Amino acid sequence: MKVGVIGGTGFVGGELLRLLLQHPKIEVVFATSRQHSGEPIQRTHPNLRGFTDLQFTEQNPANVGKVCDLVFTAVPHGTAVELVTDLVKTGVRIIDMSADFRLQNPQDYSKWYGYEHDRPDLISKFTYGVPELHRSEIKSSNYVSCPGCMAVTSILALAPIIRSGLIDLERIVVDAKIGSSGAGVEPSAANHHAERYGVVRPYKPVGHRHTAEIEQELAKISGKNVKVAMSAHGVNMVRGILVTCHTFLKREIVISDIWKSYRASYQDEPFVRLVRDKRGLYRFPDPKILVGSNFCDIGFDHDTHTNRLVILAAIDNLMKGAAGSAIQCMNLMFGFPETEALMTAGIHPV
Amino acid sequence: MKVGVIGGTGFVGGELLRLLLQHPKIEVVFATSRQHSGEPIQRTHPNLRGFTDLQFTEQNPANVGKVCDLVFTAVPHGTAVELVTDLVKTGVRIIDMSADFRLQNPQDYSKWYGYEHDRPDLISKFTYGVPELHRSEIKSSNYVSCPGCMAVTSILALAPIIRSGLIDLERIVVDAKIGSSGAGVEPSAANHHAERYGVVRPYKPVGHRHTAEIEQELAKISGKNVKVAMSAHGVNMVRGILVTCHTFLKREIVISDIWKSYRASYQDEPFVRLVRDKRGLYRFPDPKILVGSNFCDIGFDHDTHTNRLVILAAIDNLMKGAAGSAIQCMNLMFGFPETEALMTAGIHPV
Amino acid sequence: MKVGVIGGTGFVGGELLRLLLQHPKIEVVFATSRQHSGEPIQRTHPNLRGFTDLQFTEQNPANVGKVCDLVFTAVPHGTAVELVTDLVKTGVRIIDMSADFRLQNPQDYSKWYGYEHDRPDLISKFTYGVPELHRSEIKSSNYVSCPGCMAVTSILALAPIIRSGLIDLERIVVDAKIGSSGAGVEPSAANHHAERYGVVRPYKPVGHRHTAEIEQELAKISGKNVKVAMSAHGVNMVRGILVTCHTFLKREIVISDIWKSYRASYQDEPFVRLVRDKRGLYRFPDPKILVGSNFCDIGFDHDTHTNRLVILAAIDNLMKGAAGSAIQCMNLMFGFPETEALMTAGIHPV
Amino acid sequence: MKVGVIGGTGFVGGELLRLLLQHPKIEVVFATSRQHSGEPIQRTHPNLRGFTDLQFTEQNPANVGKVCDLVFTAVPHGTAVELVTDLVKTGVRIIDMSADFRLQNPQDYSKWYGYEHDRPDLISKFTYGVPELHRSEIKSSNYVSCPGCMAVTSILALAPIIRSGLIDLERIVVDAKIGSSGAGVEPSAANHHAERYGVVRPYKPVGHRHTAEIEQELAKISGKNVKVAMSAHGVNMVRGILVTCHTFLKREIVISDIWKSYRASYQDEPFVRLVRDKRGLYRFPDPKILVGSNFCDIGFDHDTHTNRLVILAAIDNLMKGAAGSAIQCMNLMFGFPETEALMTAGIHPV
């Protein structure tokens, strides 16, 4: 099957290319880049030396439908609307990596992203790309919107406990920690190695945009409004997210019941692993062991002192948080085995 | 003035020695080490090459009162009780770095530390060494117990808002992130560089012992029971702590009132800096810029979406979180200027 | 095909298991561990959660020949001699990861490793496991000795220029930089995160043991004695090696001739990539982009100021420097495609 | 005494300000910044919060002589010539941090820096700011040019052995490793945290500009031409340099004689420490322990296998490699104690 990538120079674009070039069913027919058009892909993504001789090209949306069956759009928030408008006309199927089609209420774009979404009709064509929640819709979708990296982690962490109805929906704290690849490839003072190394930077203590996605998806599960109190911190690593969800239980619980509800939600999921070991260094989720893998590791602990349930979830933000989820969705959309080219163990230690 | 250090090989011991050797009023007369007795201090603490020719010696508590005016005890939790018992007899003044005299209710030791404290009478001789709360008692104390590193950070972050009476005392979440020096010098699988590098390790999602100190001090301020829901994470740095305190406001507030109450608490404090800048990379506290300094940087942000106040506080855990606080207490106890040998800017960037 | 791993808890053991468990032709029948016998493999190697339910077992060399076709021995230097002696009796084929069978002159063990090798007859059964130099012997070997991590990097870097006869054989400087996984899994003060993070530690400025292997292999190529002046440094990463080989040319050269000789040596090699780009961040080899991959990237630059040729080579020390090379040898020994389960791109950025 | 800093926003500018603001004899009267003029210094250098209320101003060279006694110029290479020309007219004394006045042969600028130096007359007014070599000239200089960071490290490492006449002057290899602060504050793809973290990047395998300074100073000592074969690598830390100097001895030596010659050179130097310990993690120089200090640590080891002397030297590149050296020169120029505001121990562990 032929696929293209629009916006191939960023970290997400590079990870998509890595996965696609090693996918047995896929031929990459183009990858675009404004900045690096005409240059070999392997200069920007040197890990792909020997895996492709392609060069980046300029965008040519009108032609996309003729040359490929599926296109990934990895462009900045706010710019995907116009691009997707053009692409839809060509009949190509689309997996969009931006936020532009994640929020189903168009008003949310003004509130959380600061721009008016002028194509609400297009939003409704897109499926939110979390297979654990929307597998069957994804299978029959032509258009999938990939979730935000912290959003998918938080949603997978919280979905079962929301489903259980056991927690206070007004006091859900999501304290997220993320590596430097999450902020994108554009150089800035904020991501200069000398300024970014060794930080614990509370870059978004309140008002993180992924809140909107998380509340949207949890409300669907709950049937009620859900309020998420999110704070995001940059920490000293490149890949990885850990979310620590502090939730308060409405009544006394038996911890094994909680395990049951998580197992019920995820036992058949190929890319969700429940982490529950009494010993060892990694008895709770940690993004360290997930480098290059598509797993979301989930675990929890019960604080009897405050009747709090602390739910922990970890991913590789470029994999399950972006390119891995996208390939998983692609596999579903095109009838490939869901785990094709994705079922690899994390590299450890790195 | 003559001082000694019992337990000089750990990270806290080393930091005490660094500060003491550069303190104009102090002569270090001994530093003990079981493991490295007879070896030069500068082998273990190579940054001190050229600053001392002392060698580590064996402990000899009975003699301490004769050779020095003050002794710092930097020994493992649970072992300080006996040591201090012996030292008190010699008439020496003591600053203890362990947890053994921090909790004023002896029962708390069984609950949080798993051992019976058999000298409750000694506990009552000790002052909890946070000058911002107990300056005048420290000045007149012979015995000071240094606070836990995450405890002092959390207490300084929360004290003014507790004082204000504005927040829900049942839903205080303290999400802490700490560097590898916090876990001590003893090699283990957990702190092997290959296992510890790049982690976001939720090593204590519930039940962290510093909870007890935080609740003790906040209850004194509040006059009510305070429950703290704490989770601690190891992140990829050596020095530093950031605590993110998620608190829920009981009513609508005006953010400038919160600033006023923090300024009222801290405007004369030499080592608390309120961080409030609209621009720049460091508009919130971050331990990165505090390396080697004794400051506690405090800032906050208001989440109108959930009426949450996110209070952030950062320290260098070996300074304000241990040795720096201890020297500050020493300066107070002996009538030196409070900031002597401590008023240095953090090294940045590191 | 059935394989076993003796010594499965170290970093090399873990990487072998990762590769073997994902190899389509292989069934792992056992992995031994003295320390963790009876525990699940995935506790020690948490990246393998979901990839195996095996538990570590105790060593039982006498039985190995019955249960598997090939065994990997990943035990400390000096202890493999006795173990291999026992294993050979069972008829199993062996890939040894230690140094005990790398040096073909038994006297070299006294000189470089400080022990007498009492089974020189066994040494002669082993092939030195560098396919780029000894592919045909490896194919027909029952016993392969995997090269040292810095040795294989240096040998691959230097072999073509040695072959060319262009450099001074008395002034070959190998300045090596390596991550913390290279020193093994055993916790020590040296690898404590707080002591190992941020170092540039010249841990072996002279006398590094891998010198012996490098000289042995280069002498075979050269037909003359070769002296290597090696220095090894620990740097702040977990995986990876860069060797910077400073060589002095005996006469004026044309740089394109050097490229020709490197291409002649490596153009058909699946896991050697020549790095030659005029632009881009990675125009010279860098271990950063090799995480999890089996490539050795080689490049060079000519210093006309001193008529020096600086040859640079990078690997992932747990892959091409250990487990990857071992699997490559296994593939050759058993007639599998040489690149089976190994032809994966490095994860980037990490 | 009143001083100003032209170019105060970079890492060197920030470190100068940190040292000057804590220097008991100094009042900082201005610091300039094109980009941040009108903004508080502490926004750019947040470690200085509470140490100054100054704001950055625009450059006004014509006025400098009226408002201060000394100015530090921390501007890009090539731009200092014109600036210094203007400043000299005002009668102010100058310490220049750029390369523009380091090389005493004006032709060297075309060769190594690619520009014609049009004020060779100015060059001759400047003293090369290495007190260990030029203390008395510095004391009587109005104009001092600070050395390059890798240059001063290499010069201090090599000076005594050059003086001894024992090594081959045609085969001096300087293999340097440096942190990310060395490349300056300007954001770029090369210093993006995601691309710079975890590298061992041979960014200048040949042709590094500091070669010229090293050869200039060593030739003065030797009385002969000296050729230095230098290669520079970026490693994963922010501060610090280690240079590994591989030198080849012309005859058999006794290692204690080498120690004698190093002690003879440096025994009275306040900021050179000879590192010679048989045990301990830091028995060779390592920049890790030098954070924030002005020391150059020097050690060596003898490779009898190749009759090579490996000389190792480490510094904090922003201290002894830039701002620390500059303040040391200032202290000498103005008759302050040479170690004033500089004699601080490194922060360890960081």
Side-chain angles (χ1 to χ4, degrees), chain D residues 300-321:
Chain D
F300 47 82
D301 209 353
H302 183 213
D303 180 7
T304 54
H305 184 63
T306 58
N307 206 23
R308 174 180 52 136
L309 189 73
V310 181
I311 309 158
L312 300 146
I315 63 164
D316 177 333
N317 60 302
L318 296 180
M319 287 293 297
K320 189 66 179 170

Side-chain angles (χ1 to χ4, degrees), chain A residues 52-330:
Chain A
T52 180
D53 291 325
L54 275 181
Q55 298 188 334
F56 286 118
T57 54
E58 293 282 351
Q59 280 187 31
N60 184 2
N63 201 43
V64 165
K66 292 175 206 147
V67 300
C68 64
D69 305 292
L70 172 71
V71 67
F72 294 87
T73 48
V75 299
H77 303 320
T79 70
V81 181
E82 189 183 341
L83 174 63
V84 162
T85 302
D86 291 344
L87 290 170
V88 164
K89 292 176 195 159
T90 74
V92 72
R93 295 170 84 175
I94 303 170
I95 296 180
D96 180 52
M97 312 304 293
S98 83
D100 289 2
F101 301 97
R102 292 177 193 157
L103 303 181
Q104 279 136 19
N105 181 346
Q107 268 75 58
D108 279 345
Y109 286 96
S110 337
K111 179 173 174 191
W112 292 96
Y113 285 86
Y115 69 89
E116 296 296 314
H117 201 297
D118 56 5
R119 292 298 305 273
D121 58 313
L122 270 183
I123 293 177
S124 62
K125 292 181 190 289
F126 274 81
T127 302
Y128 190 70
V130 178
E132 292 79 5
L133 297 181
H134 306 295
R135 182 168 283 109
S136 63
E137 300 119 281
I138 293 166
K139 283 183 183 174
S140 59
S141 288
N142 289 324
Y143 307 111
V144 165
S145 170
C146 253
C149 54
M150 282 184 276
V152 67
T153 327
S154 305
I155 291 165
L156 292 175
L158 290 164
I161 198 72
I162 292 287
R163 209 168 271 136
S164 76
L166 285 169
I167 62 166
D168 179 352
L169 299 183
E170 299 287 316
R171 293 287 182 270
I172 301 172
V173 172
V174 172
D175 191 293
K177 297 89 176 166
I178 188 168
S180 60
S181 63
V185 77
E186 198 62 33
S188 73
N191 58 37
H192 190 301
H193 181 272
E195 296 288 5
R196 183 65 177 69
Y197 178 91
V199 299
V200 188
R201 182 185 292 164
Y203 70 95
K204 204 73 187 170
V206 312
H208 196 285
R209 294 161 164 186
H210 290 179
T211 307
E213 291 171 55
I214 302 170
E215 293 184 350
Q216 164 183 292
E217 295 298 311
L218 297 184
K220 284 183 205 167
I221 293 169
S222 166
K224 298 178 196 160
N225 272 338
V226 177
K227 280 279 185 86
V228 170
M230 188 173 182
S231 297
H233 307 75
V235 293
N236 191 27
M237 61 186 181
V238 173
R239 283 190 183 225
I241 290 173
L242 182 85
V243 297
T244 308
C245 304
H246 306 269
T247 67
F248 292 93
L249 293 156
K250 293 191 291 193
R251 54 177 174 79
E252 294 304 305
I253 53 102
V254 179
I255 193 73
S256 58
D257 290 344
I258 309 285
W259 281 112
K260 268 181 219 157
S261 71
Y262 273 80
R263 273 200 301 272
S265 291
Y266 295 133
Q267 62 192 349
D268 297 326
E269 286 301 334
F271 294 116
V272 177
R273 300 190 299 194
L274 296 182
V275 176
R276 188 189 189 186
D277 199 340
K278 289 234 160 58
R279 277 187 297 279
L281 290 180
Y282 296 92
R283 64 193 190 283
F284 296 110
D286 188 332
K288 179 177 172 73
I289 62 163
L290 297 174
V291 170
S293 85
N294 196 46
F295 297 104
C296 180
D297 278 2
I298 299 178
F300 48 81
D301 209 353
H302 183 212
D303 179 8
T304 54
H305 184 63
T306 59
N307 207 21
R308 174 181 51 136
L309 189 72
V310 180
I311 309 158
L312 300 147
I315 62 163
D316 175 334
N317 60 303
L318 296 179
M319 287 293 297
K320 189 66 178 170
S325 273
I327 301 298
Q328 191 178 352
C329 289
M330 177 191 79

Side-chain angles (χ1 to χ4, degrees), chain D residues 246-316:
Chain D
H246 306 269
T247 66
F248 291 93
L249 295 156
K250 293 190 291 190
R251 53 178 175 77
E252 294 305 304
I253 53 102
V254 179
I255 193 74
S256 59
D257 290 343
I258 308 287
W259 280 112
K260 268 181 218 158
S261 70
Y262 273 80
R263 274 200 301 273
S265 291
Y266 294 132
Q267 64 191 349
D268 296 327
E269 285 302 333
F271 294 117
V272 178
R273 300 190 300 195
L274 296 182
V275 177
R276 189 190 189 186
D277 200 340
K278 289 235 161 57
R279 278 185 297 278
L281 290 180
Y282 297 92
R283 62 193 191 284
F284 296 110
D286 189 332
K288 179 176 173 75
I289 63 163
L290 297 174
V291 170
S293 86
N294 196 47
F295 297 104
C296 180
D297 279 1
I298 300 177
F300 47 82
D301 209 353
H302 183 213
D303 180 7
T304 54
H305 184 63
T306 58
N307 206 23
R308 174 180 52 136
L309 189 73
V310 181
I311 309 158
L312 300 146
I315 63 164
D316 177 333

Side-chain angles (χ1 to χ4, degrees), chain B residues 11 14-15 18 22 39-40 42-51 181 197-198 236 238-239 273-285 288-292 295 297 316 318 343-350, chain D residues 11 14-15 18 22 39-40 42-51 181 197-198 236 238-239 273-285 288-292 295 297 316 318 343-350:
Chain B
F11 298 136
E15 194 72 347
R18 181 177 72 83
Q22 298 183 90
E39 292 184 24
Q42 54 177 289
R43 181 177 294 155
T44 298
H45 304 302
N47 55 323
L48 302 180
R49 275 185 195 130
F51 291 82
S181 63
Y197 178 92
N236 191 26
V238 174
R239 282 190 184 225
R273 299 190 300 195
L274 296 182
V275 176
R276 187 190 191 187
D277 199 341
K278 290 234 158 56
R279 278 187 295 280
L281 290 180
Y282 296 92
R283 64 192 189 284
F284 297 110
K288 179 178 173 72
I289 62 163
L290 298 173
V291 170
F295 297 104
D297 279 1
D316 176 333
L318 296 179
M343 188 44 78
T344 53
I347 310 294
H348 179 75
V350 179
Chain D
F11 297 136
E15 193 71 347
R18 181 177 73 82
Q22 299 183 88
E39 292 183 26
Q42 55 176 288
R43 181 176 296 155
T44 298
H45 304 302
N47 56 322
L48 301 181
R49 274 184 196 131
F51 290 83
S181 64
Y197 178 91
N236 191 26
V238 174
R239 282 189 184 226
R273 300 190 300 195
L274 296 182
V275 177
R276 189 190 189 186
D277 200 340
K278 289 235 161 57
R279 278 185 297 278
L281 290 180
Y282 297 92
R283 62 193 191 284
F284 296 110
K288 179 176 173 75
I289 63 163
L290 297 174
V291 170
F295 297 104
D297 279 1
D316 177 333
L318 296 180
M343 188 44 79
T344 53
I347 311 295
H348 178 75
V350 181

Side-chain angles (χ1 to χ4, degrees), chain C residues 8-303:
Chain C
T9 48
F11 298 136
V12 170
E15 194 71 347
L16 280 169
L17 288 166
R18 181 177 72 82
L19 294 171
L20 291 166
L21 289 166
Q22 299 183 87
H23 192 297
K25 307 270 178 20
I26 298 297
E27 180 192 356
V28 177
V29 292
F30 70 82
T32 76
S33 166
R34 281 178 196 176
Q35 199 180 350
H36 296 291
S37 175
E39 292 183 25
I41 285 176
Q42 55 175 290
R43 180 176 295 155
T44 298
H45 304 301
N47 56 321
L48 302 180
R49 276 185 195 129
F51 290 83
T52 180
D53 291 326
L54 275 182
Q55 298 188 335
F56 286 118
T57 55
E58 294 282 351
Q59 280 186 32
N60 184 2
N63 202 42
V64 166
K66 293 176 207 148
V67 300
C68 63
D69 305 292
L70 171 70
V71 67
F72 294 88
T73 48
V75 298
H77 303 319
T79 71
V81 180
E82 189 183 340
L83 173 62
V84 163
T85 302
D86 291 344
L87 291 170
V88 162
K89 294 176 195 158
T90 75
V92 73
R93 294 170 83 176
I94 303 170
I95 297 180
D96 180 52
M97 311 303 292
S98 83
D100 289 2
F101 301 97
R102 292 177 193 158
L103 303 181
Q104 281 137 18
N105 180 346
Q107 267 77 58
D108 279 345
Y109 286 95
S110 338
K111 178 172 174 192
W112 292 97
Y113 285 85
Y115 69 90
E116 297 295 315
H117 201 297
D118 56 5
R119 293 296 306 273
D121 57 311
L122 269 183
I123 293 177
S124 62
K125 291 182 190 289
F126 275 80
T127 303
Y128 190 69
V130 178
E132 292 78 5
L133 297 181
H134 306 294
R135 182 169 283 110
S136 63
E137 300 117 282
I138 293 167
K139 283 183 183 174
S140 60
S141 289
N142 288 324
Y143 307 110
V144 165
S145 170
C146 253
C149 55
M150 282 184 276
V152 68
T153 327
S154 305
I155 291 164
L156 292 175
L158 290 164
I161 199 73
I162 293 287
R163 210 168 271 136
S164 76
L166 286 169
I167 62 166
D168 179 352
L169 297 183
E170 299 288 315
R171 292 290 181 268
I172 301 173
V173 172
V174 172
D175 191 292
K177 297 90 177 167
I178 187 167
S180 60
S181 63
V185 77
E186 197 61 33
S188 73
N191 59 37
H192 190 301
H193 182 272
E195 296 288 4
R196 185 63 176 70
Y197 178 91
V199 299
V200 188
R201 181 185 293 165
Y203 70 95
K204 204 73 187 172
V206 312
H208 196 286
R209 294 160 165 187
H210 289 181
T211 307
E213 290 171 57
I214 302 170
E215 293 185 348
Q216 165 183 293
E217 295 299 310
L218 296 183
K220 284 184 203 166
I221 292 170
S222 165
K224 299 177 195 159
N225 272 336
V226 176
K227 279 280 184 84
V228 169
M230 189 173 181
S231 297
H233 307 76
V235 293
N236 190 27
M237 60 185 183
V238 174
R239 281 187 185 228
I241 290 173
L242 181 85
V243 297
T244 308
C245 304
H246 306 271
T247 65
F248 292 93
L249 295 156
K250 293 191 290 191
R251 55 178 173 77
E252 295 304 305
I253 53 102
V254 179
I255 194 75
S256 59
D257 290 344
I258 309 287
W259 281 112
K260 267 181 219 160
S261 71
Y262 274 80
R263 274 199 301 273
S265 291
Y266 295 133
Q267 63 191 349
D268 296 327
E269 285 301 334
F271 294 117
V272 177
R273 300 190 299 195
L274 296 183
V275 177
R276 189 190 189 187
D277 199 340
K278 289 235 158 58
R279 279 186 296 280
L281 290 179
Y282 297 91
R283 62 192 191 285
F284 297 110
D286 188 332
K288 179 176 174 73
I289 62 163
L290 297 175
V291 169
S293 85
N294 197 46
F295 297 104
C296 180
D297 280 0
I298 299 177
F300 48 81
D301 209 353
H302 183 212
D303 180 7

Side-chain angles (χ1 to χ4, degrees), chain B residues 314-330:
Chain B
I315 63 163
D316 176 333
N317 61 302
L318 296 179
M319 288 292 298
K320 188 67 178 170
S325 273
I327 300 298
Q328 191 178 353
C329 289
M330 177 191 80

